[in-house]
Amino acid sequence: MSVEVRRSSSPEETERIAAALAMRLAPGTVLALDGDLGAGKTCFVRGLARGLGADPDAVSSPTFVIEHRHACDAGTLVHIDAYRIRSAEDLASIGWEDLLAAGDAVVAVEWPSRIAAALPDSRIEVRIRHLAEDVREIEIERVRPGERLAACRACGTALAPDGDARFCSARCRMADLGRWFRGDYAVGRPIEEDDLTDGPSGRGGAAR
Ligand code: ADP
Ligand code: MG
């Protein structure tokens, strides 16, 4: 496990940090981008696009469509905003399992806490903290599967000791996710006004 902490003093610097990271990423990497509204998550994805050889200007908040795909020099950058994902069906509708199974795209997820149970064990966590006007602290952590779990978390079936899965099948992964959405697991984010309203009007259409 390795953690890198960087300080950025401008959106351009955040993009440069992300672009440098992107050049070291293998296809199939999932990045979980954490940070409050306006922290710079989308800005970071713009830098990823630049580093991967995609058009950075095409990157915008995917708020109302959940995901955007960008063609890169080598493969695809998939940009997901999980903020509005409310059910396993929402996640299935963007082909999440296939996306992970194919392993040919770099996947960047904003508001990853919404789909915490569905994130792969092996991923890169990027945490962006707003320190001052234009100053951000960016923590980049490579998370790898730690101790192998002996049994599927959903049904208890024994797992291969050298595998890195927590579930025996995609079905069990989705069953566990369903439990998560039913509220059996906590959401690691304070409740916002928008959570109490339905539809985009609650946020006044603000970009994230
Ligand atoms: P998020 O996706 O986290 O909601 P955005 O990337 O959409 O955030 O917006 C970040 C905002 O903060 C932009 O308006 C950007 O210009 C501004 N900003 C100021 N300083 C920085 C910085 N150092 N890094 C990233 N964004 C910054
Ligand atoms: Mg955003």
Side-chain angles (χ1 to χ4, degrees), residues 8-11 14 36-43 110 134 136 208:
S8 160
S9 311
S10 67
T14 295
D36 294 336
L37 189 65
K41 301 180 292 297
T42 300
C43 176
E110 297 192 37
D134 288 342
R136 307 288 189 272
R208 292 197 287 280

Side-chain angles (χ1 to χ4, degrees), residues 53-182:
D55 176 10
D57 294 332
V59 174
S60 61
S61 174
T63 302
F64 303 119
V65 293
I66 301 183
E67 66 145 20
H68 280 157
R69 287 174 188 247
H70 305 279
C72 309
D73 289 344
T76 309
L77 168 65
V78 180
H79 180 195
I80 293 174
D81 187 335
Y83 193 83
R84 287 184 184 283
I85 295 182
R86 311 245 174 203
S87 65
E89 286 74 29
D90 283 353
L91 198 53
S93 76
I94 60 167
W96 175 255
E97 287 295 334
D98 293 341
L99 187 60
L100 294 189
D104 54 0
V106 169
V107 181
V109 184
E110 297 192 37
W111 301 104
S113 60
R114 301 296 255 179
I115 57 166
L119 293 172
D121 290 344
S122 181
R123 60 182 182 267
I124 294 181
E125 293 191 350
V126 178
R127 291 178 282 273
I128 310 179
R129 267 191 291 276
H130 194 145
L131 296 186
E133 184 79 24
D134 288 342
V135 186
R136 307 288 189 272
E137 184 184 79
I138 303 174
E139 206 173 277
I140 301 170
E141 181 176 1
R142 285 178 187 271
V143 180
R144 296 206 174 81
E147 280 188 85
R148 306 281 184 248
L149 291 171
C152 172
R153 279 175 49 173
C155 74
T157 299
L159 297 172
D162 55 350
D164 65 359
R166 288 176 298 164
F167 303 99
C168 66
S169 63
R171 192 157 166 261
C172 276
R173 182 193 278 271
M174 293 312 267
D176 185 74
L177 183 64
R179 256 175 243 152
W180 195 83
F181 279 116
R182 279 198 303 277

Side-chain angles (χ1 to χ4, degrees), residues 20-35:
L21 173 68
M23 287 187 245
R24 310 189 324 246
L25 296 179
T29 304
V30 173
L31 297 108
L33 305 177
D34 255 313

